[in-house]
Amino acid sequence: MTQPEDESRPTPDRLLHTGSEHPVDPEDLVLASGREPTPELIEKARKAIEEQGAAAVERLLP
């Protein structure tokens, strides 16, 4: 049995992806920034992905 994730720690790398193997969704971008995904942050991330494409996440995860 696995233990629950400690929410006081950063998101583990295994849960993040940069888009090279999958499309990046707005929630991924928010999580990559180290923030909790709220509706407002997800909307901002959606706009960033729309405007910047892959560069939006590459700024956070080079």
Side-chain angles (χ1 to χ4, degrees):
M1 185 189 301
T2 62
Q3 296 182 357
E5 297 287 332
D6 179 359
E7 297 212 13
S8 66
R9 303 180 86 184
T11 304
D13 289 346
R14 65 183 164 73
L15 297 178
L16 300 173
H17 55 81
T18 63
S20 60
E21 65 277 352
H22 304 286
V24 176
D25 64 35
E27 187 173 335
D28 291 330
L29 187 57
V30 174
L31 290 172
S33 72
R35 299 177 186 162
E36 288 297 315
T38 64
E40 295 82 15
L41 291 175
I42 290 173
E43 180 60 21
K44 285 182 182 180
R46 185 192 63 73
K47 289 179 182 176
I49 291 170
E50 204 173 87
E51 293 171 3
Q52 302 168 19
V57 74
E58 289 171 359
R59 293 181 333 164
L60 298 171
L61 301 171

